[in-house]
Amino acid sequence: MEDELEDKILYQTLSKSHMKLLSKFAVGVTPFNSSLSYAWKVMRVYLLKPEVLIAGLLICLFVLYLQAAEVWSRGFIGRISSSLGLGGKGRSGKLALLASAAEKHSWDERTSGSAVYAVQGRRAKMEDRFVISENINNSGISLFAIFDGHGGEYAAEYAKNVLVRNIHDKLAQSSAIADGRPPMEGSRSGDCDEKDNRKQKKAESDTMDKEEENERHKVNHHNAPVPSTTASDGVQRRQSFRKSKTEDAIGVGGAGGANSNQQLENDLLSKYMGNASPARQQLKKNLLNGTGATTAVPEAKPKTYEARCYVQNGSINFGKIITDEVLAADHDLVEAARKLADFAGTTALIAVIHRSKLIVANVGDSRGVMCDHKGNAIPLSFDHKPQQVREQKRIADAGGFIAFKGVWRVAGILATSRALGDYPLKEKKLVIADPDVLSFDLVDHRPQFLILASDGLWDTFTNEEAVAFVRERLDEPHFGAKSIALQSYNRGSVDNITVLVIVLKNGRYEVGSSSD
């Protein structure tokens, strides 16, 4: 009994000593240095309370639950409402309403191997145009095109109706010649022989000389003194005479029409350059008055040639055909737009598939992408933007400039540095229509599909994202074109959106029925 009593007394003594030590440590002694003692006291008083610890634990468990339930949304309120089943239905309903609104103003076309879907989106008008032309005249050549208009529908509509028709006819004729078949009847566009070109230029020069000589005889007939002329004087007078002839031709129908169009050009330039720096104000004066290095020189229409000129050893030069027809159509479009005082322009993305060849021509910022057999995104074109080094230098050499107004713009006006139309900027060659042409061997890349789209899509999708998105939806009726167009709209694209998907099998495009 005495031993048990001694053990109890010893245990109580040690316990009291241990508790005193712990209480002294918790109350007066901190494991930190004196500089952190105040923070430790605050944390002990406010954060180590049982109710605070329990509330913190509950919050941590709730956040872990939200993450495990995969109901994260853009805001914390959305997460809570989604978790409680209050917001899921509303969110899906909003997406359904957005898709429904986009589909109200939409256009589509489907074939056995391609599909296109276009939505007007948040724009007041639909300025995009598209073309699918398979197996042109049973030649095995297929043509696809996207035209993204700006400033109105006129330019894109012109490109769809005129440019595509000209390329279509030239491809059909060239294919017939390459295959040894009689070519289609068509108008003669030009001749391949440079000798004929030189003869034509010499004839035009001789005509000018004769007309100049007649003018000189008229002066002599009226007893007016005729100054002696040197060779340089003759050249200068001939150039002056040609210029006056051109000016007279432009001013047919009275000076009112030409002056009116010129006034509209001046108003447009003044609108976008009114608040520019003094240097740019001077440039504006040069553009308006036609003085300095930016004086516009009337140019002849770019030459196109007969179909046989594009065929060599049974091979068709598709890139040359497209380039010549684009430049010729742009010249005609500018002339027509000047008469109508229409400032519209359009990009052009044109793809031609013939057997294992793919040729892509691009003017502007519409874009093409290829998905190869590994699922990689291969660019088919590169955007023409004013801030690119090559384009910026070309614009500066032409006497222009680029300015940042939300995005980089040519002369503070146009967000793409190449386009068809846009005649006020085309006069000074600040904007050109020369296409970049790329050729691809489909056997090497073995592509699964191609995407051609206006920049309304590329504002919300990267090349890689678009390829991955469409690749998962190739079994849909539109091969994913409709889904990605609507998804781009849901992501907030404010432009017209047009997406064309071309499906290839074993690196070849299999056409269904022929189409003119």
Side-chain angles (χ1 to χ4, degrees), residues 138-156:
N138 294 316
S139 62
I141 301 175
S142 297
L143 170 69
F144 308 90
I146 297 286
F147 302 106
D148 182 2
H150 50 261
E153 305 174 41
Y154 179 73

Side-chain angles (χ1 to χ4, degrees), residues 354-398:
H354 184 225
R355 296 171 185 158
S356 62
K357 291 183 179 180
L358 168 65
I359 298 88
V360 180
N362 179 55
V363 181
D365 55 6
S366 295
R367 192 187 308 166
V369 181
M370 172 197 300
C371 176
D372 68 6
H373 66 286
K374 295 181 180 179
N376 298 320
I378 309 297
L380 299 179
S381 65
F382 297 94
D383 302 351
H384 293 133
K385 294 294 188 181
Q387 66 270 25
Q388 293 172 347
V389 175
R390 179 183 65 166
E391 295 297 288
Q392 188 173 356
K393 182 179 184 301
R394 179 187 61 76
I395 294 168
D397 291 343

Side-chain angles (χ1 to χ4, degrees), residues 80-157:
I80 296 176
S81 60
S82 296
S83 175
L84 298 177
L86 301 176
K89 183 177 180 181
R91 186 165 179 239
S92 61
K94 287 181 180 179
L95 292 178
L97 287 175
L98 285 173
S100 177
E103 291 183 68
K104 285 183 179 178
H105 301 284
S106 63
W107 297 259
D108 73 315
E109 183 176 343
R110 288 181 289 173
T111 68
S112 59
S114 61
V116 61
Y117 196 84
V119 295
Q120 180 174 319
R122 295 172 174 86
R123 288 293 180 92
K125 294 182 179 180
M126 181 58 174
E127 297 175 334
D128 286 4
R129 297 294 186 271
F130 58 82
V131 173
I132 295 179
S133 183
E134 292 185 340
N135 196 19
I136 300 173
N137 284 13
N138 294 316
S139 62
I141 301 175
S142 297
L143 170 69
F144 308 90
I146 297 286
F147 302 106
D148 182 2
H150 50 261
E153 305 174 41
Y154 179 73
E157 191 70 23

